[in-house]
Amino acid sequence: GENVEQHPSTLSVQEGDSAVIKCTYSDSASNYFPWYKQELGKRPQLIIDIRSNVGEKKDQRIAVTLNKTAKHFSLHITETQPEDSAVYFCAARRASSASKIIFGSGTRLSIRP
Amino acid sequence: GAVVSQHPSWVICKSGTSVKIECRSLDFQATTMFWYRQFPKQSLMLMATSNEGSKATYEQGVEKDKFLINHASLTLSTLTVTSAHPEDSSFYICSARDLASGGSYNEQFFGPGTRLTVL
């Protein structure tokens, strides 16, 4: 069945350094890849997404890359700040009206001051 | 962005009772809503897809008789945990998509979640 694998499960970086989270997906029909940030006890918040016809997308300190051939996509956060500490989830979905999102297992990112 | 609300935000109940959780799309219509369960320090696991006016589609391993889903209107879906037991204690999150915007790549908006504790 559909599966999204995410690594690492935990990540600790020095404030100001970069953080990279990697995901792979199994469903070759997936063509929409959102990333979510979830703080403790809160709802997931979409931080960036990428469609399959695009290889890279950037929004300020956040960028996402997609390698559709290899079924890999990654989240890059540069110049990390304390408020970036949270759990990040990658996800994959087919672009149809009722298609479900399949989440990765999550990465707990900690920013060391 | 669009707003999805959930009620209640938390509930504590005795084992054997039933609990109803409401999910509402406040400023858009949602023909499809999704129900997730999240255990501590784990990912969101899709339980079922709720379709307005028809039966929900449950994921493998989710008991449809235990987790009753009703999607009676374009803005409201309910999840009822029947005969709840301590192992049902979890964070339940709903989400909905605003099909009127963004085409097939439209964003999925999440509710704030409901923390269920079964004693």
Side-chain angles (χ1 to χ4, degrees), chain A residues 74-89:
Chain A
S74 301
L75 177 73
H76 303 252
I77 306 175
T78 58
E79 300 172 29
T80 53
Q81 300 169 4
E83 53 265 35
D84 294 330
S85 294
V87 179
Y88 291 80
F89 293 99

Side-chain angles (χ1 to χ4, degrees), chain A residues 2 27 29-34 36 91-103, chain B residues 31-36 46 48-51 57 59 95-99 103-110:
Chain A
E2 305 124 331
D27 183 5
S30 296
N31 50 10
Y32 175 65
F33 307 91
Y36 294 90
R93 194 188 85 196
R94 298 182 181 186
S96 66
S97 61
S99 59
K100 56 191 179 185
I101 282 183
I102 305 299
F103 283 87
Chain B
T31 55
T32 302
M33 291 184 174
F34 303 89
W35 286 96
Y36 295 85
L46 180 66
T49 301
S50 171
N51 303 298
T57 303
E59 294 298 301
S95 71
R97 292 169 64 181
D98 182 1
L99 299 182
S104 56
Y105 293 99
N106 47 16
E107 183 177 348
Q108 190 160 320
F109 298 96
F110 287 84

Side-chain angles (χ1 to χ4, degrees), chain A residues 60-80:
Chain A
Q60 299 183 347
R61 297 187 297 109
I62 296 175
V64 59
T65 59
L66 171 66
N67 181 329
K68 205 176 175 200
T69 302
K71 298 183 192 171
H72 290 174
F73 58 116
S74 301
L75 177 73
H76 303 252
I77 306 175
T78 58
E79 300 172 29
T80 53

